[in-house]
Amino acid sequence: MKSVMEWFSHVLLIITIVYIFLFGLIWFYEPVRALASGFLLGGLISLYNVFHLAFRLKIAGLRAQSGARKLAGLHMTVRILMIVFGVLIVYRFSTRIDYRSFVLSLLFGYLMLVTVMSYYYLRGKGSTSSEEGGEIYGSDSESEISRNDL
Amino acid sequence: MSLAVLAGGIMIAFGALAAGIGNGILFSRYLEGIARQPEAQGTLFGQSMIGLGLVEALPVISIAFGILVLFGIIG
């Protein structure tokens, strides 16, 4: 069974490809070129941020699992600097890239993240599999950690 | 100093501050959960991703708008 991380990366990759293809096609239509450029730039930065967040979360989880002394962080500065980079590009090429569509599309990745993950859990794929340990958060059965411990 | 610059600065500062606090709380709970129950990592990962996505979306917009205001593109 695919883990949630693999599944999420796979779905997000497909969404990214569709997004690039869609706005790449729109970009060829001259009257809305600036708009499409804004959507492309903002959307790709947003999707990169989501990928980065998932990757850092995975690394941090693996470090915590391995019991390493030095824990990994989420590296939020990288994501903020990525947005600053996008804004600087919009500022430099303000006639070619529409800033409104850029700012609007910065939300795309996060909305997609919430939608995709909610879909995952609503479809029932989020239930704990046997390889994840069967029960979580303690229960009345023979789990080592009881609810009182949490 | 114009008020637009001040507004931009406040937007960026408070956006980053709020995201930092929110992410910090969520992330610490995530690590705590994994440390207590390593086999629940898959479940915790998905739930943390939803939380982090919701927490981070608004500051991202506020930071982008703040920088645009600072550069005088808006306002």
Side-chain angles (χ1 to χ4, degrees), chain B residues 15-42:
Chain B
L17 189 74
I21 293 170
N23 270 359
I25 292 170
L26 257 167
F27 188 55
S28 69
R29 294 287 187 268
Y30 170 70
L31 288 182
E32 216 175 284
I34 288 180
R36 280 175 187 272
Q37 214 162 354
E39 67 269 16
Q41 198 205 354

Side-chain angles (χ1 to χ4, degrees), chain B residues 25-70:
Chain B
I25 292 170
L26 257 167
F27 188 55
S28 69
R29 294 287 187 268
Y30 170 70
L31 288 182
E32 216 175 284
I34 288 180
R36 280 175 187 272
Q37 214 162 354
E39 67 269 16
Q41 198 205 354
T43 315
L44 289 174
F45 174 82
Q47 290 168 356
S48 303
M49 279 299 281
I50 294 175
L52 287 169
L54 287 170
V55 165
E56 231 177 76
L58 202 67
V60 159
I61 296 296
S62 95
I63 288 167
F65 265 122
I67 297 168
L68 288 171
V69 168
L70 272 183

Side-chain angles (χ1 to χ4, degrees), chain A residues 4-5 8 49-50 53-58 60-62 64-65 71-74 76 79-80 83-84 87-88 90-91 94 99 102-104 106-107 110-111 113-114 117-118 121 126-128 131-138 143 145 149-150, chain B residues 12 15-21 23-24 26-27 30-75:
Chain A
V4 59
M5 286 170 260
F8 176 70
N49 279 355
V50 171
L53 182 66
F55 178 70
R56 291 307 310 176
L57 209 61
K58 184 180 163 187
L62 290 175
Q65 259 184 338
L71 292 173
L74 278 183
M76 198 182 160
R79 292 192 293 280
I80 288 179
I83 295 160
V84 174
V87 175
L88 287 177
V90 172
Y91 181 64
S94 52
Y99 73 87
F102 168 74
V103 174
L104 200 68
L106 278 178
L107 269 180
Y110 292 100
L111 288 176
L113 160 72
V114 173
M117 291 311 293
S118 303
Y121 284 109
S127 58
T128 322
E131 67 187 62
E132 280 179 347
E135 303 160 9
I136 55 164
Y137 302 131
S143 173
I145 300 172
D149 291 326
L150 295 176
Chain B
I12 295 170
L17 189 74
I21 293 170
N23 270 359
L26 257 167
F27 188 55
Y30 170 70
L31 288 182
E32 216 175 284
I34 288 180
R36 280 175 187 272
Q37 214 162 354
E39 67 269 16
Q41 198 205 354
T43 315
L44 289 174
F45 174 82
Q47 290 168 356
S48 303
M49 279 299 281
I50 294 175
L52 287 169
L54 287 170
V55 165
E56 231 177 76
L58 202 67
V60 159
I61 296 296
S62 95
I63 288 167
F65 265 122
I67 297 168
L68 288 171
V69 168
L70 272 183
F71 286 164
I73 300 174
I74 312 173

Side-chain angles (χ1 to χ4, degrees), chain B residues 1-14 69-70:
Chain B
M1 186 172 66
S2 74
L3 283 176
V5 175
L6 192 68
I10 289 172
M11 280 166 85
I12 295 170
F14 280 92
V69 168
L70 272 183

